[in-house]
Amino acid sequence: MRVVIVTGRMVQSLRRVVEPVGVDGPAVCYQGAVVVDSDWSWLRHEPLGLELAREALDAVLEEGYVPNVYVGDELYVAEVNEWVIAYAGFQQLVPHPVGDLRAWLATEPTKLVCVGESDELDGLELRLRARFGERLYVTKSLPYFLELAAPGVTKAAGLAFLGERLGFSAGRTIAFGDGENDVELLEWAGYGIAVENAHERVKAVADWVCPPASEEGVALVLEALLDSRP
């Protein structure tokens, strides 16, 4: 079996997790906006267009959020505050404060992320979807991270790109997910599995629900698949 990690994380953040345990092979990062090869070189990059990024930045600034901005696999922020410290610590990142993000932004960013209280971000998510429609991909990776990416960017799109390159199909793919940003991934795969602690939207599209992360449900399924092989 080929195992591909599909994540919303930055490339550098994913590397810190997988390299110590010897995981190799290509991966999908940034919700599908970036696909990397086994040597971590970028095979695909679908950034936000600069004008759309500025429009999205204006929209969230009007809502009172100062987002994280990702350019060149680095994290840029207006200033380092408690939210940035918590986020950067969680991902083991070094944030780069630049002051006025609107004046600073001159390069197409890979994505923007608003960090805040889950319930408040739920409302922001609905308003941004109503305002931008299909022009902007809006999703949550975790309850307190609202992510904005280019239209057409999803984990499914990133994995489909990799499937075409490596020769595997959706029909022969099993996908696991837990967050709202995994909905499209499970819909794309021939067999989608949600963990028990997954977002309700993910469980709604899943073909099956495995034990929760606290019980290592994904590992149990993978071990069962390996044990079933002749």
Side-chain angles (χ1 to χ4, degrees):
M1 289 189 297
R2 177 186 293 276
V3 177
V4 177
I5 297 175
V6 185
T7 178
R9 282 178 178 257
M10 305 167 67
V11 177
Q12 62 163 298
S13 178
L14 179 63
R15 291 186 69 170
R16 291 189 184 93
V17 175
V18 302
E19 285 186 332
V21 294
V23 175
D24 58 8
V28 178
C29 300
Y30 285 102
Q31 315 298 359
V34 173
V35 177
V36 294
D37 210 340
S38 55
D39 62 357
W40 301 102
S41 61
W42 290 29
L43 301 173
R44 178 183 193 255
H45 184 209
E46 297 291 336
L48 272 164
L50 190 55
E51 290 308 310
L52 178 59
R54 287 173 173 162
E55 187 180 350
L57 180 56
D58 287 341
V60 297
L61 288 172
E62 290 169 10
E63 292 271 0
Y65 289 89
V66 183
N68 298 342
V69 180
Y70 301 78
V71 175
D73 204 38
E74 295 289 342
L75 169 62
Y76 296 91
V77 297
E79 63 179 7
V80 177
N81 56 32
E82 60 178 325
W83 289 109
V84 171
I85 292 171
Y87 179 88
F90 168 71
Q91 301 255 14
Q92 300 181 42
L93 302 171
V94 176
H96 305 288
V98 297
D100 185 345
L101 286 170
R102 188 65 169 78
W104 169 83
L105 187 63
T107 303
E108 294 182 333
T110 304
K111 69 176 182 178
L112 310 178
V113 175
C114 296
V115 183
E117 299 295 342
S118 178
D119 291 346
E120 295 176 0
L121 289 178
D122 286 343
L124 177 61
E125 179 178 9
L126 293 175
R127 292 190 295 276
L128 290 176
R129 287 183 174 180
R131 177 169 177 170
F132 288 92
E134 298 298 320
R135 295 193 300 125
L136 188 69
Y137 178 58
V138 183
T139 190
K140 273 189 168 184
S141 52
L142 288 173
Y144 34 87
F145 298 155
L146 183 64
E147 312 217 359
L148 316 180
V153 164
T154 64
K155 289 184 175 183
L159 191 58
F161 168 87
L162 202 51
E164 291 180 6
R165 184 179 179 89
L166 298 180
F168 64 85
S169 66
R172 295 182 59 83
T173 300
I174 300 172
F176 298 86
D178 63 346
E180 185 182 333
N181 57 336
D182 292 315
V183 169
E184 296 88 354
L185 177 64
L186 266 62
E187 289 178 327
W188 179 84
Y191 198 77
I193 301 176
V195 292
E196 179 59 39
N197 58 298
H199 190 284
E200 290 303 318
R201 286 188 60 205
V202 180
K203 290 196 280 189
V205 301
D207 296 293
W208 189 58
V209 177
C210 72
S214 60
E215 298 177 21
E216 300 184 340
V218 174
L220 292 173
V221 175
L222 292 176
E223 288 170 354
L225 288 170
L226 290 170
D227 289 343
S228 70
R229 300 180 74 186

